[in-house]
Amino acid sequence: MTADEDIPDHDPDLVVSRTLIVTAVTAEADAVCAGLMGSWSRGRTRLPAGPGNLVSPDWDRQLLTTSTLGPYVGRRRGPVTVLAAGTGGPAAAAGTATALAVASAAGQPFDLVVTMGVAGGFRGWAEIGDIVVADRMVAADLGAESGLDEEPPSASIGRISEMDRNLGFHAAGAPTHRSPDRRAPTGGGAFLTLDDLGLGSSTVRPDPELVSRLHAVLDATGRRIVTGTVVSVSTVTGTERRASTLTERLDPVAEAMEGYAVALAARSFGIPAAEIRAISNPVSRRDRAAWNLPAALASLRTAAAALVAHPDGLAAAEALPVAGGEAASAGSGPQHGSNGTH
């Protein structure tokens, strides 16, 4: 038996999605591309696929090529294109939407969008070097603050519009924080989500089957895999107080900046989206000395290598209906896991 025969053939009927991987910065895109390139050579003896022995499939036997997507320049290998769209939600959404629109107009639409990059891990859930798969993407600071710093004035006020009441633009303060069904208060009224305000949803929930498939594929790396809520923020958490507040309100496993926005852009095209993160630092008081970007980028490279070594992770998924109003359904609370459990 030859070395090649030791490796099970990939299912010839498997349809691999045209996948757009979106990162924030070039360093993340470089790590992903390095993983896509793999380490295989036809002239070398290859070992069976497994942790540390990731093997690129036949469709991946080519060099990276440049892919122009409007004003953006991506890097492509096989059906996978990598785009560094910029830091933060606005830049990520703009880059993703542009790439999807250009590809669709060219008659080569993408079937799947995956956000990949480094992230902070919440204590007790994800540690440096761990790989996180989001089962919920939540815009953690998109909404309105609620509550009063001091007693409201005793003077009577005129009629208040419902919009002003919801947004807190009135002298008497914001209304009591209630659950989305409006039936009962939910806590101290410190924060109102888009759901509470009736302005859409702060949550995007990926297809559970896609999340499960990605978890199983990444598990082949031998690294610790955690599934749970990844929060998207506009300002990176730098205090223990904010980390504790986010934990109490959302019980997240990781914090990043782009996942929710990328998923929203993908959803507007009816395309499934997912988020994969590698942990570079704990979410707590800001301490750059505690960050380990090389370890996180190495995990990111390993995750990308796993996706091309096991292309069932990128199997074509059923398209979503194009979003008309709400961004996504909120669903129930997050489920966490590490190689299946936590």
Side-chain angles (χ1 to χ4, degrees), residues 112-198:
L112 176 65
V113 178
V114 181
T115 305
M116 295 186 71
V118 302
F122 282 85
R123 185 179 295 113
W125 283 123
E127 301 174 355
I128 291 175
D130 289 349
I131 297 173
V132 170
V133 181
D135 64 9
R136 287 201 311 167
M137 292 169 265
V138 180
D141 49 16
L142 188 58
E145 289 187 330
S146 174
L148 297 173
D149 292 326
E150 57 188 28
E151 289 296 321
S154 57
S156 62
I157 58 176
R159 190 170 186 275
I160 301 168
S161 72
E162 186 62 21
M163 178 63 76
D164 283 347
R165 282 190 61 81
N166 285 342
L167 296 179
F169 296 154
H170 58 90
T176 302
H177 186 186
R178 291 182 174 273
S179 60
D181 62 12
R182 316 305 298 167
R183 288 181 299 182
T186 56
F191 188 82
L192 299 172
T193 67
L194 293 184
D195 309 77
D196 297 322
L197 297 169

Side-chain angles (χ1 to χ4, degrees), residues 197-240:
L197 297 169
L199 299 177
S201 178
S202 301
T203 300
V204 173
R205 187 182 293 278
D207 175 54
E209 183 180 343
L210 174 60
V211 172
S212 177
R213 190 165 65 242
L214 289 174
H215 185 114
V217 166
L218 294 172
D219 196 44
T221 64
R223 304 212 177 207
R224 186 169 179 267
I225 313 300
V226 181
T227 300
T229 297
V230 177
V231 291
S232 296
V233 297
S234 298
T235 301
V236 175
T237 297
T239 65
E240 290 284 358

